[in-house]
Amino acid sequence: MSNNQRYRQAHSIAPSSHQQGAVLIVVLLFLVLIILAGVIAVKQSTTDLKLSTSDQINTLLLQSADNANQNIEQSMNGSSDADAYDAMIARGGPFGHFILTNYSVENEYAFCFRPRDQLFNINKTTILTPDGTITNSGYCDTTKPDDYVSSRNTSMTQVNVSLTPPSAENEAFGSYTIGQGSDSLASKAFMFDINSTAVLPSYADVGDCFEKTSSYIPRTDAKKTIGGCMAEKGVPSTVIYEMAEVENQSLRTACVDFGKGSGLLCTLPAS
């Protein structure tokens, strides 16, 4: 074979080598694009999972806190002969403590919501005073399974009750019940601040957060409240605030004489 033939033969395979190199570069580019698409898909899936988990946590906490408020409303608006009603308005109960005593205006009443046992246990309560605590057995305890809302030991809810601070915007004599004498205890209506705090203790240590106050008034530092303390420690929590008015329903019937007809239009029960 001559030198010219060898040169031609070697020269003839050069384009094939360049084509293989170009194909390799294109394949590598496609691989890079596929990898990038996979990474983006994984990140998107992780983000969606986090959002879904966050929504589930918020829903669970909202249900736990709202469940406590609903049980309190049902107990107070239900039959006055029920045990739950008697416990609520008794001297040692969350409302009776303020209604039946004169020294409890600045106090705060706390108890752990235990729906599997009973809504409220007078022997498991905490009364916070400006100088300290009178009793100290009402705080929720993460080490006690009975303090959790359900047997799954996932969430727990603590309820804090206090009198609503007086305001200049309140209506004059608005705290008195129509049809009752002003000198009677039964004539007064009481406004309460109810804060139900639901938490998921499995995410972080709650520490002494349950021992904090639930009222932002007159506190200026939010970290001194239960919700602020939980947020600082990274514990998922939800606080539902409700203002409730507790008063005796008057059985008196208002009579209006229109000057027509005969006989009694209505009667008033003897006081």
Side-chain angles (χ1 to χ4, degrees), residues 12-257:
S12 63
I13 64 176
S16 176
S17 176
H18 287 300
Q19 290 176 357
Q20 290 177 356
V23 171
L24 180 60
I25 293 175
V26 173
V27 171
L28 290 176
L29 289 175
F30 273 107
L31 287 176
V32 171
L33 292 176
I34 293 173
I35 293 173
L36 289 176
V39 171
I40 294 174
V42 170
K43 288 185 177 180
Q44 183 66 32
S45 299
T46 304
T47 302
D48 293 341
L49 179 60
K50 289 181 179 179
L51 291 175
S52 177
T53 303
S54 178
D55 290 340
Q56 292 175 353
I57 289 175
N58 292 334
T59 301
L60 176 61
L61 291 174
L62 182 62
Q63 291 176 346
S64 298
D66 188 55
N67 188 22
N69 284 17
Q70 289 182 359
N71 275 267
I72 293 175
E73 291 177 6
Q74 293 173 1
S75 298
M76 293 302 297
N77 294 331
S79 173
S80 58
D81 296 329
D83 294 338
Y85 177 87
D86 291 338
M88 286 286 178
I89 64 171
R91 185 176 294 272
F95 298 113
H97 172 73
F98 299 95
I99 296 175
L100 301 177
T101 59
N102 297 324
Y103 55 82
S104 57
V105 177
E106 298 182 359
N107 293 354
E108 188 172 356
Y109 195 102
F111 65 93
C112 191
F113 175 57
R114 304 177 180 91
R116 292 181 293 158
D117 180 17
Q118 61 186 90
L119 169 62
F120 164 74
N121 189 338
I122 195 172
N123 296 318
K124 296 180 179 180
T125 61
T126 294
I127 299 176
L128 293 85
T129 66
D131 300 329
T133 58
I134 298 178
T135 59
N136 194 21
S137 58
Y139 298 128
C140 289
D141 189 344
T142 58
T143 63
K144 296 181 179 179
D146 292 339
D147 284 2
Y148 288 85
V149 174
S150 67
S151 58
R152 297 173 58 188
N153 294 347
T154 304
S155 64
M156 56 176 42
T157 302
Q158 180 169 296
V159 181
N160 289 59
V161 181
S162 59
L163 285 173
T164 302
S167 173
E169 299 178 356
N170 293 343
E171 180 184 358
F173 301 103
S175 61
Y176 287 90
T177 303
I178 297 176
Q180 299 283 357
S182 61
D183 58 342
S184 172
L185 178 63
S187 67
K188 295 182 180 180
F190 295 83
M191 296 297 298
F192 291 95
D193 289 339
I194 303 175
N195 290 277
S196 298
T197 306
V199 303
L200 297 180
S202 59
Y203 280 78
D205 183 17
V206 301
D208 61 347
C209 288
F210 279 125
E211 300 178 16
K212 305 293 184 181
T213 179
S214 66
S215 176
Y216 285 90
I217 302 174
R219 305 288 183 180
T220 56
D221 187 1
K223 294 180 181 179
K224 294 182 179 180
T225 64
I226 297 178
C229 181
M230 294 294 181
E232 184 181 19
K233 290 182 176 295
V235 182
S237 63
T238 294
V239 181
I240 292 185
Y241 167 76
E242 180 178 3
M243 181 180 290
E245 181 177 7
V246 178
E247 66 176 346
N248 288 314
Q249 295 294 327
S250 175
L251 298 178
R252 297 179 182 272
T253 304
C255 293
V256 179
D257 185 6

